[in-house]
Amino acid sequence: MADPEKLFMVNVVTPDGLIFSHHSSIVEMRAIDGQRSVMYNHLPILTPLAIGEIKVKRSREMNNIVNHIAVSGGYFEFSNNVATIIADSAERAGNIDVSRAKAARERAQNALKKAQAAHDQRSLERAQVALRRAVNRISVYNSDK
């Protein structure tokens, strides 16, 4: 008989509440200092997250489904085989309104051009962040297809 699969709990929380809570065999994310993966019995860790994708690989019993979640920053904490992601905002791939994300990308691109032309550094930085968020949402939506 095969060894039992070692799973841990993954919770994703935003200011709007809990958006994801399932068991997982591995979680992959982009921290501000690079890509990270966490498995069962990983040492405790607390790391800030970059705008990016969280991949949660589910159990064999769930056919190793990978859930894709777009986050726009926040923190990842792991201890006692519980992963908690506290995100500024987070959306599961299936809940992303891709037409809204594309419209946000277009608005951000226009704001970027306008800020560059006006040499407005603060507006340029805000437009760059908005563009990264929109592109991330589109990318996560497409990765689930």
Side-chain angles (χ1 to χ4, degrees):
M1 186 167 163
D3 289 334
E5 189 171 17
K6 295 183 178 180
L7 303 173
F8 58 94
M9 196 67 193
V10 178
N11 298 307
V12 179
V13 182
T14 70
D16 295 328
L18 184 69
I19 68 143
F20 184 89
S21 183
H22 292 285
H23 285 94
S24 173
S25 60
I26 187 168
V27 174
E28 298 175 10
M29 83 237 37
R30 176 161 296 286
I32 60 168
D33 60 349
Q35 196 68 19
R36 301 274 174 105
S37 297
V38 172
M39 297 174 72
Y40 184 82
N41 272 349
H42 192 284
L43 290 173
I45 184 174
L46 174 64
T47 188
L49 297 172
I51 295 170
E53 177 179 20
I54 305 287
K55 294 179 187 175
V56 181
K57 184 177 179 188
R58 304 284 294 281
S59 66
R60 287 189 297 256
E61 186 177 280
M62 293 292 297
N63 297 322
N64 294 317
I65 292 170
V66 177
N67 294 118
H68 302 268
I69 304 166
V71 295
S72 60
Y75 289 89
F76 176 86
E77 188 264 338
F78 186 86
S79 64
N80 298 320
N81 287 314
V82 176
T84 304
I85 298 161
I86 301 170
D88 303 330
S89 68
E91 286 181 276
R92 293 176 71 160
N95 295 341
I96 294 173
D97 182 341
V98 74
S99 60
R100 273 189 56 220
K102 288 179 179 177
R105 178 181 62 188
E106 189 172 323
R107 283 192 307 275
Q109 289 170 332
N110 291 336
L112 192 62
K113 289 176 188 172
K114 191 174 181 181
Q116 287 171 332
H119 302 287
D120 182 350
Q121 189 62 33
R122 288 182 61 90
S123 294
L124 181 66
E125 290 169 1
R126 281 195 301 270
Q128 289 170 334
V129 170
L131 182 58
R132 283 197 307 269
R133 286 180 175 165
V135 167
N136 181 53
R137 291 177 67 225
I138 293 165
S139 174
V140 169
Y141 174 83
N142 289 329
S143 70
D144 197 41
K145 301 299 167 212

